[in-house]
Amino acid sequence: MTKTSPPHKIIGVAVIWNDLGQILIDRRLPEGVMGGLWEFPGGKIEPGETVEDCIKREIHEEIGIEIEVGEHLTTIDHTYTHLRVTLTVHHCRHLTGIPQPIECAEIRWVNLDELEQFEFPQANFQIIQVLRQSV
């Protein structure tokens, strides 16, 4: 028997900073695999879309705010049992709008040192490590 590889999703991820130096995280809806876990917001890159355009679009659709996509932070390849993801992560800056949980259960502004209090999917821990090293 040959083992089939899990589906692969390429995802643009935003580490959104506000003027107080806090980061925006959101809690996934409770249904589905990894439901209820916290994450850095973002979403699947559509065909013909740049990572930066994807991040702006996803943040507007999911949280209802406008952001400026800044420098690339890291790219992470992670394979779960059911899914392989490539996370392309960018620093972003909150420009306008009040964050709303449009396509997530909850949103919260947190300080970098508070991130360990939240339960994230495995691939997100690598983002947190890189953030700690880069600040």
Side-chain angles (χ1 to χ4, degrees):
M1 275 208 224
T2 55
K3 185 182 174 204
T4 59
S5 20
H8 182 211
K9 288 187 181 177
I10 302 171
I11 299 172
V13 177
V15 175
I16 304 168
W17 297 87
N18 67 14
D19 292 338
L20 301 174
Q22 296 172 310
I23 300 167
L24 187 72
I25 59 173
D26 69 74
R27 189 197 284 273
R28 298 170 66 97
L29 293 170
E31 52 275 347
V33 181
M34 296 189 280
L37 297 180
W38 291 87
E39 66 183 358
F40 298 98
K44 197 168 68 139
I45 298 172
E46 300 293 340
E49 189 176 46
T50 67
V51 173
E52 294 83 358
D53 287 343
C54 164
I55 292 171
K56 277 186 184 179
R57 175 184 54 76
E58 288 283 349
I59 299 310
H60 183 74
E61 290 173 2
E62 294 181 6
I63 301 176
I65 61 172
E66 299 301 321
I67 60 167
E68 174 183 65
V69 179
E71 69 181 57
H72 175 256
L73 174 65
T74 188
T75 298
I76 293 165
D77 267 308
H78 186 83
T79 303
Y80 296 99
T81 54
H82 65 287
L83 176 70
R84 178 175 160 228
V85 293
T86 300
L87 306 178
T88 303
V89 187
H90 280 258
H91 284 290
C92 299
R93 190 168 63 90
H94 175 235
L95 296 176
T96 61
I98 297 168
Q100 322 224 357
I102 298 168
E103 292 187 15
C104 57
E106 186 181 347
I107 45 181
R108 195 174 293 183
W109 289 107
V110 298
N111 294 316
L112 182 57
D113 60 1
E114 294 175 308
L115 288 173
E116 67 239 8
Q117 299 170 25
F118 299 88
E119 193 176 346
F120 285 87
Q122 195 61 44
N124 283 242
F125 288 115
Q126 295 173 61
I127 298 171
I128 294 169
Q129 284 181 317
V130 172
L131 275 171
R132 286 204 174 109
Q133 293 166 0
S134 72
V135 177

